[in-house]
Amino acid sequence: MSHSVEILSVGTELLLGNIANTDAQMLSQGLSELGLNVFWHTVVGDNPQRAREAVALAKKRADIIITTGGLGPTCDDLTKNVLAEAFGRRLVFDEGSAQRIRAYFQRTGRPMTDNNLQQAMLPEKCEILENDWGTAPGCAFEAEGVHVIMLPGPPSECQPMFQYRAKPYLLSLSEGVIASHTVKLFGIGESTMEAQLREQMNAMSNPTLAPYAKEGECELRVTAKAATDEEAQALLQPTVKQVRELFRDKVYGVDVPSLEYVVLKGMGEKGLTLGTAESCTGGLIAKRLTDVPGASQVFKGGIVSYTDGIKESVLRVPEHLLTQFGAVSKEVAAAMAQGARQVLRCDIALSSTGVAGPDRDDWDNEVGTMFVAIATQEGTHVRALHLGNRPMRERLRTQTASHALDLARRYLAGLDYGD
Amino acid sequence: MSHSVEILSVGTELLLGNIANTDAQMLSQGLSELGLNVFWHTVVGDNPQRAREAVALAKKRADIIITTGGLGPTCDDLTKNVLAEAFGRRLVFDEGSAQRIRAYFQRTGRPMTDNNLQQAMLPEKCEILENDWGTAPGCAFEAEGVHVIMLPGPPSECQPMFQYRAKPYLLSLSEGVIASHTVKLFGIGESTMEAQLREQMNAMSNPTLAPYAKEGECELRVTAKAATDEEAQALLQPTVKQVRELFRDKVYGVDVPSLEYVVLKGMGEKGLTLGTAESCTGGLIAKRLTDVPGASQVFKGGIVSYTDGIKESVLRVPEHLLTQFGAVSKEVAAAMAQGARQVLRCDIALSSTGVAGPDRDDWDNEVGTMFVAIATQEGTHVRALHLGNRPMRERLRTQTASHALDLARRYLAGLDYGD
């Protein structure tokens, strides 16, 4: 069984460029993981004629059509009307959906107008995909050998509607289950990772290996298909183990959300506290740590010392280090981490100092020259980075923050610092 | 002359969901500003047959086809081959492009392989769009009443190639010039803004007004078309003035990149320095300020005080305020800003404290309860925010950071704090 999928997005805001089509990306990723082939993305505006044309095309060239958007009252429920028409179905009023819509407005205390109830009109004999994240229900049906799934447009609704409603429907089309694990890596480039895996990736069919790169990190998605979850897991485990062995200390976790999450969790488990002293990253390390709900159990605080004066007065970096080596130096990075550890009274402190650009600093250090350090009760370690001056300021800062977090991750895991 | 545009993106990575189609968004925004109607986005993979189908469709339904991706050696220059074939053109070797490709590899010190030179094969009689940001040149030609423009896929190339190569080509299709100004607003919702403008927007044709919302801020793009830039500016000025008068102190700038930029620039001009004390925003205010190149002229540093202990020991918040009112209070927000102003020895300090969730704090404050404060030589002002508990943690933090920056912006502009 080899399905071909078309994702059809309806929304003038996409054609005006007000938003990017992140729904199509999210769906494509999820569908690929299900082993379904996405061959087309199409976007049309809130225009019945072009929507009809698009549906007629999709019906010819795909056997699964997934639509996003065009379900709300502001667009006259364009998508439902056009799809129902194309497959010769009437729209019928669904009292269950109407009740859910009324309840939603009651719960959020917003006034409901009559056209909100239009959203309870759904194609006859469809499976209703209940929307717990907004008002417009989705739906799914099969007709003329084509499966049609309609999802709401707002990403905060589309994502859970796919995850919890459309995915089970799609899984019921195929026999068996799909399971996956994501191995997260830091400290290795995507091309190096791919080069080491290429032969293996090409030779594998179940499980499959898919590499992704994002913001200076890499991840490998291992996906298997089997009759039961146990069998899928049995297929996955050897590959996950193999990947772990291949990339050893570059692997910072499996199925974990981020490097900062791993650091906070590891420290929480050990009852340790964390603090930061940031120069070039300007608060980014602290920001990333506090992006994680519950960070306050571990993270006590941070100092952003953007001038030498603050490094001296707040972080207690000795003046002679600043005059002798300059703020962007191994010595100052170490002193910042040590100072933060004292001032913030934490077990572990991380620091960063460097030149994020656009220009060299007063000491003529190149853009991309960075130092990150960790201070613990065992001592202090500094990692020197030469990130090159080609990436943008934002990317340099993100990478530097990740390197600082990587030091903490390695310390917690009992690894050497890898420098 | 009313053109209809189709954006055709070629790349399997889009269908796998490895990346979002941000090229299509960027192009759609740019094309809308030129007054061109984008009616279709289509994505196909690196697959000649489906690419041919897509081009055949685009040729029928659009009179401007803009392609992204599929120009490099790894995909056998799919896009160029398919488009040239569809319009009956041969590909011919362009020595000028070959020289530029050789020079690019020499400059970046990377090894060049023969298939890189394939990129110098271009449709006969096309206008070559030189690529100063990568290796693959773009091109443009007109055939059978359709304009075809091919651009490289990587966003870091596609964006400048559109801006500096495709846009001039498109402008030459229309007579006259297009000019625009962007009015930036904070402290007003998109729907309120739109409601106040709807009639005006619908009545206007030149200039046009387009609202955008992003991350708790709004902007209004005013775009005019005229024979000369002077005439376009003459059309724009009254509308910009009108919008400024309508939204008064909500307008924080015209053609400025961000709120943080406006704050840093305003303080730099007055020779003032800035510091931050952050609790719920966890370093985000400092991070946003230091995103701006040259921030160190104004921004001295910040304290992220994620625990009461740090608020007391580093920021010198009196203990009795913490025990009497709790960390999430008007009183502590004020004391944090005052403390930061002293500790960081800066002219102006901003602070934040609040509950970013997911749970209420120990004092049973609701998620979304936030206080931001500003301390200056004239005194201290606190703004209380009730952002509701519906938005996500990240969004709550972004909005809170923006409110803190808004206090500084208002102080600098001599406005009241608007609370």
Side-chain angles (χ1 to χ4, degrees):
Chain A
M1 180 195 66
S2 174
H3 286 293
S4 85
V5 187
E6 172 148 356
I7 299 173
L8 172 59
S9 304
V10 179
T12 303
E13 67 279 18
L14 290 161
L15 296 182
L16 290 173
N18 293 355
I19 55 170
N21 197 355
T22 54
D23 283 346
Q25 182 191 12
M26 180 273 297
L27 292 171
S28 295
Q29 222 175 78
L31 293 162
S32 299
E33 282 167 27
L34 294 179
L36 296 168
N37 299 310
V38 180
F39 287 142
W40 299 87
H41 291 179
T42 303
V43 180
V44 292
D46 301 330
N47 175 291
Q49 188 204 319
R50 279 186 288 272
R52 266 183 224 116
E53 279 179 52
V55 169
L57 283 166
K59 203 177 152 180
K60 270 191 275 181
R61 61 195 184 187
D63 62 4
I64 299 177
I65 303 174
I66 304 185
T67 70
T68 67
L71 293 186
T74 52
C75 56
D76 297 319
D77 289 299
L78 178 67
T79 307
K80 277 186 315 196
N81 283 309
V82 169
L83 265 299
E85 181 192 292
F87 288 92
R89 301 224 166 175
R90 287 179 314 132
L91 293 180
V92 294
F93 185 75
D94 177 62
E95 181 52 35
S97 297
Q99 276 176 19
R100 293 176 63 86
I101 292 165
R102 283 190 206 100
Y104 179 89
F105 279 96
Q106 213 147 29
R107 199 168 65 242
T108 56
R110 291 190 289 165
M112 190 183 81
T113 56
D114 272 353
N115 57 10
N116 284 118
L117 277 186
Q118 283 293 327
Q119 297 180 111
M121 296 294 291
L122 290 159
E124 55 189 338
K125 288 179 283 172
C126 73
E127 181 172 323
I128 294 164
L129 307 178
E130 293 183 350
N131 185 349
D132 284 334
W133 304 271
T135 59
C139 63
F141 63 81
E142 189 192 349
E144 306 174 37
V146 179
H147 293 274
V148 176
I149 299 178
M150 301 185 221
L151 301 174
S156 58
E157 299 178 31
C158 190
Q159 199 276 328
M161 285 289 282
F162 174 71
Q163 183 69 25
Y164 300 107
R165 302 288 184 266
K167 214 164 154 178
Y169 179 90
L170 290 165
L171 280 171
S172 73
L173 299 185
S174 64
E175 290 183 358
V177 299
I178 303 266
S180 70
H181 292 299
T182 304
V183 182
K184 300 264 209 162
L185 300 100
F186 182 77
I188 184 169
E190 191 201 10
S191 50
T192 312
M193 183 178 78
E194 279 202 64
Q196 285 188 251
L197 286 173
R198 186 153 302 142
E199 271 185 49
Q200 204 173 353
M201 273 162 47
N202 291 341
M204 290 169 81
S205 61
N206 191 26
T208 57
L209 261 182
Y212 300 88
K214 44 183 172 187
E215 306 204 2
E217 294 188 24
C218 293
E219 52 185 70
L220 274 171
R221 192 87 46 91
V222 192
T223 306
K225 204 168 171 173
T228 66
D229 190 57
E230 287 75 46
E231 287 177 47
Q233 295 299 337
L235 284 167
L236 289 172
Q237 290 315 326
T239 305
V240 170
K241 189 160 170 259
Q242 224 178 337
V243 167
R244 271 185 171 281
E245 279 164 9
L246 185 60
F247 296 110
R248 293 190 309 275
D249 60 337
K250 304 281 191 278
V251 175
Y252 72 77
V254 177
D255 300 329
V256 292
S258 63
L259 203 45
E260 43 273 29
Y261 173 89
V262 169
V263 168
L264 289 167
K265 185 150 186 291
M267 294 191 61
E269 283 166 5
K270 291 193 157 79
L272 298 170
T273 57
L274 180 65
T276 53
E278 306 185 57
S279 186
C280 61
T281 52
L284 178 58
I285 305 175
K287 186 258 171 197
R288 283 175 56 178
L289 288 164
T290 58
D291 279 340
V292 181
S296 59
Q297 300 303 311
V298 165
F299 181 65
K300 296 188 74 176
I303 314 284
V304 180
S305 56
Y306 224 55
T307 61
D308 284 4
I310 306 291
K311 289 185 185 75
E312 273 183 62
S313 66
V314 183
L315 282 173
R316 304 177 195 167
V317 173
E319 193 192 345
H320 72 92
L321 293 181
L322 289 161
T323 50
Q324 196 179 341
F325 302 105
V328 177
S329 64
K330 194 170 170 301
E331 292 76 9
V332 169
M336 285 172 66
Q338 288 157 2
R341 192 165 172 265
Q342 280 177 22
V343 174
L344 302 169
R345 293 174 211 157
C346 53
D347 300 306
I348 296 175
L350 301 173
S351 72
S352 72
T353 179
V355 190
D359 303 314
R360 288 168 179 247
D361 70 352
D362 296 340
W363 289 62
D364 208 31
N365 286 301
E366 274 193 346
V367 174
T369 306
M370 304 283 180
F371 297 92
V372 292
I374 182 170
T376 70
Q377 62 174 3
E378 281 91 7
T380 305
H381 178 85
V382 183
R383 181 183 288 178
L385 305 168
H386 298 284
L387 300 176
N389 55 10
R390 294 202 331 147
M392 309 290 283
R393 181 178 173 87
E394 176 149 3
R395 184 153 181 162
L396 284 177
R397 280 156 46 100
T398 301
Q399 286 185 14
T400 304
S402 297
H403 275 285
L405 293 164
D406 187 53
L407 292 178
R409 188 270 296 186
R410 286 174 169 271
Y411 173 79
L412 290 167
L415 296 165
D416 66 51
Y417 287 114
D419 300 316
Chain B
M1 182 193 63
S2 174
H3 287 293
S4 84
V5 186
E6 173 151 355
I7 298 173
L8 171 58
S9 303
V10 179
T12 303
E13 67 279 17
L14 290 160
L15 296 183
L16 290 173
N18 293 355
I19 55 171
N21 197 356
T22 53
D23 283 345
Q25 182 191 13
M26 178 274 297
L27 292 172
S28 294
Q29 220 174 80
L31 293 162
S32 299
E33 282 166 28
L34 294 179
L36 296 168
N37 299 311
V38 179
F39 287 141
W40 298 87
H41 290 180
T42 303
V43 180
V44 291
D46 300 329
N47 174 292
Q49 188 204 320
R50 280 186 288 273
R52 266 183 225 117
E53 278 180 52
V55 169
L57 283 166
K59 202 176 151 181
K60 268 192 275 182
R61 63 197 184 186
D63 62 4
I64 299 177
I65 303 174
I66 303 185
T67 71
T68 67
L71 294 185
T74 54
C75 56
D76 297 322
D77 289 298
L78 178 66
T79 308
K80 276 185 319 195
N81 283 307
V82 169
L83 265 299
E85 181 192 292
F87 289 91
R89 300 224 168 175
R90 289 179 313 130
L91 292 180
V92 293
F93 185 76
D94 178 61
E95 181 52 37
S97 297
Q99 276 175 18
R100 291 175 65 85
I101 293 166
R102 283 191 206 101
Y104 179 89
F105 279 95
Q106 213 148 28
R107 197 165 70 241
T108 56
R110 291 191 289 166
M112 190 182 82
T113 56
D114 272 354
N115 57 9
N116 284 117
L117 276 186
Q118 283 293 325
Q119 296 179 112
M121 296 294 291
L122 290 159
E124 55 189 337
K125 287 179 282 173
C126 73
E127 181 173 323
I128 295 164
L129 306 179
E130 294 184 350
N131 184 349
D132 284 334
W133 305 271
T135 59
C139 64
F141 62 81
E142 189 192 351
E144 307 174 37
V146 179
H147 292 274
V148 176
I149 299 178
M150 301 186 222
L151 300 175
S156 58
E157 299 178 33
C158 191
Q159 199 275 330
M161 284 290 282
F162 174 71
Q163 183 68 26
Y164 299 109
R165 303 286 184 268
K167 214 164 154 178
Y169 179 90
L170 290 165
L171 280 171
S172 74
L173 299 185
S174 65
E175 288 180 3
V177 299
I178 302 266
S180 71
H181 292 298
T182 304
V183 182
K184 301 266 208 161
L185 299 100
F186 182 76
I188 183 168
E190 191 200 9
S191 49
T192 313
M193 182 178 78
E194 279 201 66
Q196 286 189 251
L197 286 173
R198 186 153 302 141
E199 270 185 51
Q200 202 172 356
M201 271 162 50
N202 292 340
M204 289 170 80
S205 61
N206 191 24
T208 58
L209 261 182
Y212 300 88
K214 45 182 171 186
E215 307 203 0
E217 295 188 22
C218 292
E219 51 184 71
L220 275 171
R221 191 87 45 91
V222 192
T223 306
K225 205 167 169 175
T228 65
D229 190 57
E230 286 74 45
E231 286 178 47
Q233 295 299 337
L235 284 167
L236 290 171
Q237 290 316 325
T239 305
V240 170
K241 189 160 170 260
Q242 223 178 335
V243 167
R244 272 186 171 281
E245 279 163 7
L246 186 60
F247 295 109
R248 292 189 312 273
D249 59 338
K250 304 283 191 275
V251 174
Y252 71 76
V254 177
D255 301 328
V256 293
S258 64
L259 203 44
E260 43 273 30
Y261 173 89
V262 169
V263 168
L264 288 168
K265 185 151 186 289
M267 295 192 61
E269 283 167 5
K270 290 191 157 77
L272 298 170
T273 58
L274 180 65
T276 54
E278 305 185 57
S279 187
C280 59
T281 51
L284 178 58
I285 305 175
K287 186 257 174 200
R288 283 174 56 177
L289 287 164
T290 58
D291 279 340
V292 181
S296 59
Q297 300 302 311
V298 165
F299 181 65
K300 295 188 74 176
I303 315 284
V304 180
S305 56
Y306 224 55
T307 61
D308 284 6
I310 306 291
K311 289 185 185 73
E312 273 183 64
S313 66
V314 183
L315 282 174
R316 304 178 197 167
V317 174
E319 193 193 345
H320 72 91
L321 293 181
L322 289 161
T323 50
Q324 194 178 342
F325 303 104
V328 178
S329 64
K330 195 171 168 303
E331 291 77 7
V332 169
M336 284 172 67
Q338 288 156 2
R341 192 165 172 265
Q342 279 176 23
V343 174
L344 301 169
R345 293 173 209 159
C346 53
D347 300 305
I348 296 175
L350 301 174
S351 72
S352 72
T353 180
V355 190
D359 303 313
R360 287 167 180 249
D361 71 352
D362 296 339
W363 289 62
D364 208 32
N365 285 301
E366 276 193 345
V367 174
T369 307
M370 305 282 181
F371 297 92
V372 293
I374 182 170
T376 68
Q377 63 174 3
E378 282 91 6
T380 305
H381 179 84
V382 183
R383 180 183 290 179
L385 305 168
H386 298 283
L387 300 177
N389 56 11
R390 294 201 332 144
M392 309 290 282
R393 183 178 171 86
E394 176 149 2
R395 183 151 182 165
L396 284 177
R397 282 156 45 99
T398 301
Q399 286 185 14
T400 305
S402 297
H403 275 285
L405 292 166
D406 187 53
L407 292 178
R409 188 270 297 187
R410 286 173 170 272
Y411 173 78
L412 290 167
L415 296 165
D416 65 52
Y417 287 115
D419 300 315

